[in-house]
Amino acid sequence: MIVNNLFLTPVFLPILAASIILIAKSFLPVKARRFCEYLGIIIGLLLPIVIVLLLYPEVINNGSLSIIIGSYTPKIGILYNFDSLSLVMIVLTNLLTLPAWIYSRSAGPSHSYFTALLLLQSATIAGISMTCDIFNLFVCLEVMGLVAYVLIASKQEKSAVFAAFNYMMYSSSSMVFFLLGSFGLYRLTGSLTYQEITKTLVTLSAKEQNLALICLLLMIVPILLRVAIMPLSGWLINAHSKAPHAVSALLSGILIKIPLFILIRVFSISPMMQNLTLVLSYIGSATALIGVLLALSQSDAKKLLAYHSISQIGYIVTAWSLALHYGIDTTLGAVLLIAALFHAFSHAIFKGLLFLSIGTATDAAGNRDVYKIRGVNYMLRQKGEKFPLTMICFFFGALSIMAIPPFNGFFSKTLLTYYIKPSINYTILNIASIGTIASFIKLSRIFLPSKEMKKPIKELPTAKFPISIHLSLIILASLALLTGIFAKEILKLLENIFISTNLKSIKYSIFFSKSNILKTLYTGLVGIFLFIIATSKYGSKILHKLRSLKADFTDQYVAFAITIALLSWFLLV
Amino acid sequence: MNKRRIFKIFLTTFIISFTILPIILSNSSWPTLARDYLFMHAFDETGASNTVSSIYLGYRLIDTLGETLVLFVAITGTMSILLNLHKQVLQGVETQSSLPPEKRAKNALRTNLVEVVASKLGPIILLFGLYVMLYGHKSPGGGFQGGVILASAIVFLALSTVVKTKLTNSNVLSRIESISFLSLILVTTYVVFFPNGFFRNIATNNSFASATMIIILNIMIGLKVGTSLAVMIIAMMGGQHDY
Amino acid sequence: MIIERILIFLIFITGFIGLISMKNIIKKIIGLNLLSSSIVLLFILEASRIGDEAPFLDDKVQNIVDPIPQALMLTAIVIGVCVTALSLAMAVRLYKTTGSLDITIIKERLENDC
């Protein structure tokens, strides 16, 4: 009956909305098309959030809801399983697509296919988070990837097309490996559903089990490529920096995190995958550090933000892999998972805010070079912005990523670094935080006054700053502030979802304890010191050398092969 | 091709082949569970004697939906990259799909012979495409295959100057595409949310109208795929499109 | 038995080497096509070993091959075609704006413009 299947609506409603937009394009005049786009966004993005939140009590009480689509036999049909992780993913995706879409109404790609593609992306992300079938995962990952390639290339300028081409070649060839892995698994076990594969895998001989582990690894590495941890992140720099601003916000916010949380399900196919989790945590923290170092050396503002995306995803991967290492059923593992989810959520908000505000600023300045632009406020006022809202929103985002209270970055980074305390990852992540502060001080220099500001402003009579840019920036900035102020309540909610016992496990006193505040001050001071070193003559030379390191197309595949070799070594030996 | 590059390529290929060779050359027997189940039950549960159709339109319908979305996104992307889609052209543009005489001198491959033969072949291929689309439940074929043949038939009709038909008009084609996409989504949603509803009952209880669900899905997929591919190729050929 | 699989492996390696080492982007796209075609062939070949006849349920048919990989490969082929079409469109656009199909020359020209 329909009530049992209600959790499938986040997949079908956005596709329905996209088809309504298509019909409006073919049949109706231009004004009605705009109305249908708004209608499509309400049906496709907001209505699924409402439905999923209505299902929240049932998921808490009964565990997960699952169904085989079409009610066929479990041997052949596709199983969809809706649990708490899927709920969080769907709410995250739909909520964060909204500001990017609002921004794009005036400054981004404005043809109506853009809205349809955003809705299709949200539908496939809902599908990925609920599916329990490896071939369905393949199809949904390919759709998600294709939407990303088309969205990056929609800016029509040649560097964006080249970035999309590079990403497409790299990602599609790795999905061929995914298909090969699923071939091996189907041959060995005769089924495509995760649970059936797990059951059959234990009955196989040792040699076949090793083969199955290699196949599972070949399925995992392409998903790790989409997450962009360090050896596999060659595509992200160009893809996120050359895309239109709304698309960059979407890509950094949503598309690099969803595959990571789906890996939890894929990892659960075989218990031998636990061997990989410790290695992945070291790779994650190395990613965080190297990302920040390379970010410090960049001169292009959007490339700097893209390297910061790599670094922050390193934080999330470290917490996630340690959560799997201790086991999600244990309290420590569940708390680490909550930390990873909360940091993913905060990162999506503040990185979206940063991309949109820096995008607006560099559009007004006409130039992206961080060393050259000064006095952006003046240029924004020339474009018609009366109140320096872009600068304020940029500072909200920068203070969040630098982990300054009361913004959400402070709470998520503290939670994350506190619970990974007894390992070397803790030290590396702290060093990465210092680097983050230094590079954001460097980035905010674009708002320093310049000589031009002494001249009077030539008021263009019809210069009107688009309201949708301000609206999207206000939404994201207020979310950054509110999720920081109400962080305790949000964390309590996540605890309810993921930890099944009644013990309250997160010590809320760690946020404002003396040691934490001292640590924040200390990190800030060393960050300022690092910034001063980095802009001195000796530091600039080192950074210039770092900036000129280049990786070409073949190197990406060398990194891919080395990752497979490294992870298979740790898996089988 | 310096030595470092050759070394990198060799290293990559060596690691990759070392990893995939055991999978390709493994000798474990192929599982027969699925085949046995389908041999017994596929006809009763879906009404199609082509088991491949019963899988991808019955048991694994979501995969087919994903595949249709892949096609839609790829065609949208290809058209926008090739045709500068971001300019909003107001409506009222007439569409021409065949080559006007003044361009013919530059385009040496579009001879009169091609146009006359294409105009004769077009309707035959259209009929064949419709046959492949409609008979997907009994013989090899189905929505995607028939749709591609339909697209090539429409392109043949567009290549000719002799035939004047509305079928090569981009507006008409995009209208058919959007209607078939919407009805495909509606039928899929209905089949998924009401698994024991109208279509399944007809398929299992009524021998006259068995495989109704599969035939309807095939028709819609075929129309969607065919018309969208045709719109893209006609746009590339020079027929204008209103955005 | 085994010679067919070795040949499929050779097609895979050819496609892979073409993808990573050729400088012309059209050759890279052909390499990607070869990669996915080899996997499709592998699925269909291996699935056909357990039966004799095509998977149609007529009266006289007794031993059909496994139809699931065939249905899965329909989807995989369509996805491969879509990726090829999109990448060829991007190649055309890159050629029109930079004047070359060689990936190193395209990168240089794009950097000089930015």
Side-chain angles (χ1 to χ4, degrees):
Chain A
M1 263 308 291
I2 191 168
V3 179
N4 287 344
N5 304 356
L6 209 55
F7 65 91
L8 289 175
T9 47
V11 179
F12 286 96
L13 276 178
I15 305 182
L16 196 62
S19 56
I20 293 179
I21 293 181
L22 255 195
I23 289 220
K25 245 179 89 39
S26 314
F27 285 91
L28 302 175
V30 180
K31 279 213 175 123
R33 287 183 204 174
R34 287 281 176 173
F35 171 71
C36 279
E37 283 180 36
Y38 288 102
L39 184 67
I41 288 284
I42 294 179
I43 297 181
L45 288 184
L46 297 177
L47 197 53
I49 299 184
V50 170
I51 295 182
V52 155
L53 289 176
L54 283 177
L55 287 172
Y56 168 74
E58 230 185 281
V59 171
I60 299 289
N61 294 334
N62 298 346
S64 60
L65 305 166
S66 67
I67 193 171
I68 302 205
I69 300 220
S71 303
Y72 291 105
T73 168
K75 287 186 218 163
I76 315 271
I78 300 182
L79 178 70
Y80 263 51
N81 192 359
F82 178 74
D83 61 358
S84 38
L85 193 61
S86 327
L87 194 148
V88 175
M89 301 268 99
I90 294 176
V91 171
L92 174 77
T93 311
N94 286 0
L95 204 56
L96 294 169
T97 316
L98 209 51
W101 180 76
I102 296 178
Y103 184 87
S104 77
R105 292 295 89 200
S106 60
S110 55
H111 48 86
S112 49
Y113 277 147
F114 181 75
T115 318
L117 287 174
L118 280 187
L119 288 169
L120 288 179
Q121 180 190 85
S122 123
T124 44
I125 291 179
I128 292 181
S129 59
M130 293 198 278
T131 183
C132 283
D133 181 285
I134 52 183
F135 196 74
N136 201 11
L137 185 63
F138 170 73
V139 173
C140 290
L141 279 174
E142 287 276 13
V143 180
M144 191 173 93
L146 268 177
V147 170
Y149 316 142
V150 172
L151 285 178
I152 296 175
S154 62
K155 200 172 177 184
Q156 299 301 323
E157 73 175 71
K158 38 194 170 167
S159 46
V161 174
F162 186 66
F165 179 78
N166 192 8
Y167 181 23
M168 180 156 78
M169 286 286 117
Y170 197 26
S171 187
S172 300
S173 48
S174 65
M175 290 308 276
V176 173
F177 287 92
F178 187 100
L179 204 52
L180 185 58
S182 66
F183 165 76
L185 277 182
Y186 180 65
R187 182 190 198 136
L188 291 169
T189 59
S191 163
L192 291 169
T193 318
Y194 300 160
Q195 285 87 341
E196 296 277 329
I197 295 180
T198 316
K199 267 192 264 180
T200 325
L201 265 184
V202 293
T203 62
L204 294 176
S205 68
K207 197 168 152 207
E208 287 182 339
Q209 277 197 357
N210 279 345
L211 196 62
L213 285 176
I214 296 274
C215 294
L216 206 50
L217 182 71
L218 277 182
M219 281 171 56
I220 287 175
V221 178
I223 304 183
L224 281 179
L225 191 151
R226 300 238 177 169
V227 175
I229 58 178
M230 199 57 206
L232 302 170
S233 56
W235 58 270
L236 189 140
I237 310 304
N238 282 330
H240 285 207
S241 61
K242 310 278 198 257
H245 309 303
V247 174
S248 295
L250 267 179
L251 290 171
S252 277
I254 304 174
L255 286 183
I256 49 179
K257 307 201 180 78
I258 300 286
L260 184 65
F261 292 106
I262 299 317
L263 270 187
I264 298 181
R265 291 194 197 204
V266 181
F267 264 53
S268 67
I269 291 182
S270 163
M272 292 285 288
M273 285 284 147
Q274 290 287 93
N275 301 351
L276 282 184
T277 49
L278 205 56
V279 175
L280 279 176
S281 71
Y282 294 135
I283 292 182
S285 34
T287 308
L289 189 58
I290 300 180
V292 148
L293 277 178
L294 288 171
L296 200 52
S297 68
Q298 289 302 313
S299 65
D300 182 332
K302 279 187 85 170
K303 269 194 189 172
L304 191 147
L305 290 176
Y307 274 110
H308 273 291
S309 279
I310 297 183
S311 150
Q312 297 295 314
I313 204 75
Y315 276 82
I316 300 176
V317 167
T318 312
W320 166 87
S321 53
L322 283 175
L324 280 176
H325 182 72
Y326 295 123
I328 300 191
D329 312 321
T330 67
T331 319
L332 184 56
V335 169
L336 280 169
L337 182 63
I338 292 177
L341 276 172
F342 190 50
H343 193 67
F345 182 58
S346 330
H347 175 245
I349 295 178
F350 59 69
K351 196 41 84 65
L353 190 55
L354 284 169
F355 263 117
L356 295 181
S357 52
I358 290 285
T360 319
T362 53
D363 280 346
N367 181 354
R368 283 190 193 174
D369 195 332
V370 183
Y371 291 110
K372 296 199 185 114
I373 315 177
R374 294 286 180 268
V376 168
N377 246 339
Y378 176 73
M379 301 180 215
L380 282 168
R381 243 190 297 169
Q382 269 191 327
K383 293 261 168 165
E385 185 185 40
K386 301 204 175 56
F387 178 66
L389 196 63
T390 312
M391 181 174 83
I392 294 181
C393 293
F394 168 75
F395 277 110
F396 271 35
L399 290 175
S400 294
I401 197 173
M402 295 199 271
I404 312 277
F407 294 100
N408 52 8
F410 170 70
F411 294 94
S412 59
K413 269 196 192 172
T414 313
L415 186 64
L416 214 144
T417 48
Y418 180 78
Y419 278 97
I420 62 176
K421 224 178 214 169
S423 60
I424 193 176
N425 296 322
Y426 180 69
T427 351
I428 301 183
L429 288 183
N430 280 339
I431 303 178
S433 310
I434 299 178
T436 313
I437 295 187
S439 65
F440 268 89
I441 299 179
K442 181 173 157 185
L443 182 59
S444 27
R445 286 190 306 182
I446 64 172
F447 287 103
L448 287 177
S450 74
K451 295 183 215 120
E452 288 243 339
M453 283 175 79
K454 305 284 200 304
K455 299 184 202 156
I457 302 177
K458 300 181 274 282
E459 280 283 345
L460 299 157
T462 53
K464 204 175 156 217
F465 204 72
I467 191 170
S468 63
I469 296 185
H470 277 168
L471 188 61
S472 57
L473 286 175
I474 291 175
I475 293 180
L476 281 173
S478 46
L479 267 178
L481 189 57
L482 287 174
T483 50
I485 297 179
F486 292 110
K488 200 164 151 188
E489 278 73 22
I490 298 181
L491 284 172
K492 282 202 180 132
L493 191 71
L494 284 174
E495 266 189 330
N496 255 342
I497 300 180
F498 287 104
I499 304 184
S500 47
T501 63
N502 279 331
L503 302 165
K504 292 304 170 208
S505 347
I506 301 183
K507 301 186 215 143
Y508 290 102
S509 57
I510 59 171
F511 291 122
F512 286 107
S513 67
K514 213 197 265 186
S515 61
N516 197 22
I517 297 194
L518 276 178
K519 186 178 124 187
T520 313
L521 276 174
Y522 168 73
T523 317
L525 286 172
V526 180
I528 297 179
F529 184 58
L530 181 61
F531 165 70
I532 297 178
I533 297 180
T535 48
S536 68
K537 204 163 123 193
Y538 187 58
S540 308
K541 265 197 216 156
I542 301 184
L543 293 182
H544 194 77
K545 269 212 188 114
L546 270 182
R547 210 183 311 159
S548 50
L549 286 174
K550 296 240 177 282
D552 67 337
F553 194 81
T554 319
D555 294 335
Q556 294 174 333
Y557 286 94
V558 177
F560 186 73
I562 291 181
T563 316
I564 291 185
L566 184 72
L567 289 179
S568 59
W569 173 263
F570 278 99
L571 188 57
L572 294 177
V573 168
Chain B
M1 269 291 213
N2 51 357
K3 281 197 187 146
R4 266 183 72 186
R5 199 175 146 83
I6 296 182
F7 172 69
K8 274 192 259 187
I9 295 172
F10 178 71
L11 177 71
T12 316
T13 316
F14 178 70
I15 294 179
I16 295 289
S17 42
F18 197 66
T19 314
I20 68 173
L21 211 49
I23 304 178
I24 294 186
L25 292 181
S26 86
N27 273 321
S28 55
S29 59
W30 194 264
T32 55
L33 289 172
R35 190 268 308 260
D36 296 333
Y37 180 83
L38 284 170
F39 189 62
M40 294 283 122
H41 295 114
F43 187 72
D44 302 323
E45 287 188 2
T46 53
S49 53
N50 181 358
T51 38
V52 179
S53 280
S54 73
I55 293 176
Y56 80 84
L57 287 177
Y59 296 97
R60 301 184 67 99
L61 189 53
I62 301 289
D63 278 350
T64 310
L65 190 61
E67 190 179 344
T68 315
L69 292 180
V70 165
L71 209 57
F72 170 63
V73 172
I75 291 179
T76 307
T78 311
M79 282 187 78
S80 78
I81 292 177
L82 286 178
L83 297 176
N84 274 336
L85 199 54
H86 63 287
K87 298 197 194 80
Q88 296 262 5
V89 176
L90 295 173
Q91 68 271 48
V93 177
E94 265 198 23
T95 63
Q96 316 169 307
S97 52
S98 60
L99 213 55
E102 54 267 16
K103 280 197 184 172
R104 204 181 286 267
K106 285 192 234 164
N107 209 339
L109 291 174
R110 295 279 288 272
T111 59
N112 275 325
L113 180 63
V114 167
E115 298 188 354
V116 168
V117 171
S119 69
K120 302 291 179 221
L121 279 180
I124 302 178
I125 301 181
L126 198 60
L127 189 62
F128 180 61
L130 282 173
Y131 160 74
V132 168
M133 203 165 79
L134 287 171
Y135 270 77
H137 63 290
K138 277 198 190 301
S139 65
F144 290 97
Q145 295 88 322
V148 174
I149 300 178
L150 266 184
S152 56
I154 299 179
V155 169
F156 268 47
L157 288 175
L159 272 177
S160 68
T161 45
V162 185
V163 173
K164 294 265 183 263
T165 163
K166 278 238 165 128
L167 202 55
T168 56
N169 185 343
S170 287
N171 280 338
V172 171
L173 284 174
S174 55
R175 285 181 188 192
I176 300 179
E177 170 191 356
S178 44
I179 293 182
S180 58
F181 190 45
L182 182 66
S183 25
L184 175 67
I185 305 294
L186 286 176
V187 171
T188 311
T189 315
Y190 181 81
V191 166
V192 167
F193 279 87
F194 297 98
N196 291 316
F198 175 67
F199 292 113
R200 186 78 74 82
N201 280 333
I202 290 235
T204 51
N205 296 338
N206 190 347
S207 62
F208 170 64
S210 64
T212 313
M213 176 176 79
I214 297 205
I215 296 179
I216 292 181
L217 283 171
N218 264 334
I219 295 176
M220 287 179 208
I221 292 177
L223 282 177
K224 162 85 176 83
V225 169
T227 48
S228 56
L229 279 175
V231 163
M232 177 173 79
I233 300 182
I234 289 179
M236 284 194 224
M237 272 168 42
Q240 287 180 314
H241 199 116
D242 125 33
Y243 274 106
Chain C
M1 274 286 288
I2 201 166
I3 186 74
E4 296 146 339
R5 288 183 277 173
I6 292 192
L7 286 174
I8 291 181
F9 170 70
L10 284 176
I11 299 178
F12 186 92
I13 292 294
T14 311
F16 189 67
I17 293 183
L19 178 63
I20 64 176
S21 69
M22 293 286 145
K23 290 197 184 160
N24 192 333
I25 48 181
I26 305 286
K27 291 187 187 173
K28 285 187 196 283
I29 298 172
I30 296 179
L32 183 62
N33 235 336
L34 277 177
L35 271 184
S36 30
S37 303
S38 70
I39 299 296
V40 169
L41 280 175
L42 183 66
F43 257 98
I44 308 277
L45 174 73
E46 291 299 311
S48 71
R49 296 216 191 274
I50 58 171
D52 303 317
E53 290 143 347
F56 291 95
L57 299 175
D58 287 336
D59 293 328
K60 294 175 249 172
V61 161
Q62 280 183 335
N63 199 12
I64 58 171
V65 296
D66 193 354
I68 286 199
Q70 300 193 3
L72 302 181
M73 286 302 108
L74 270 179
T75 308
I77 293 176
V78 171
I79 293 178
V81 164
C82 290
V83 169
T84 307
L86 198 55
S87 53
L88 283 172
M90 289 185 192
V92 167
R93 184 135 199 114
L94 284 173
Y95 181 68
K96 277 194 185 157
T97 50
T98 57
S100 157
L101 280 176
D102 185 328
I103 200 168
T104 45
I105 300 182
I106 292 179
K107 262 197 188 173
E108 265 176 48
R109 289 192 189 165
L110 286 176
E111 269 167 38
N112 289 343
D113 289 338
C114 275

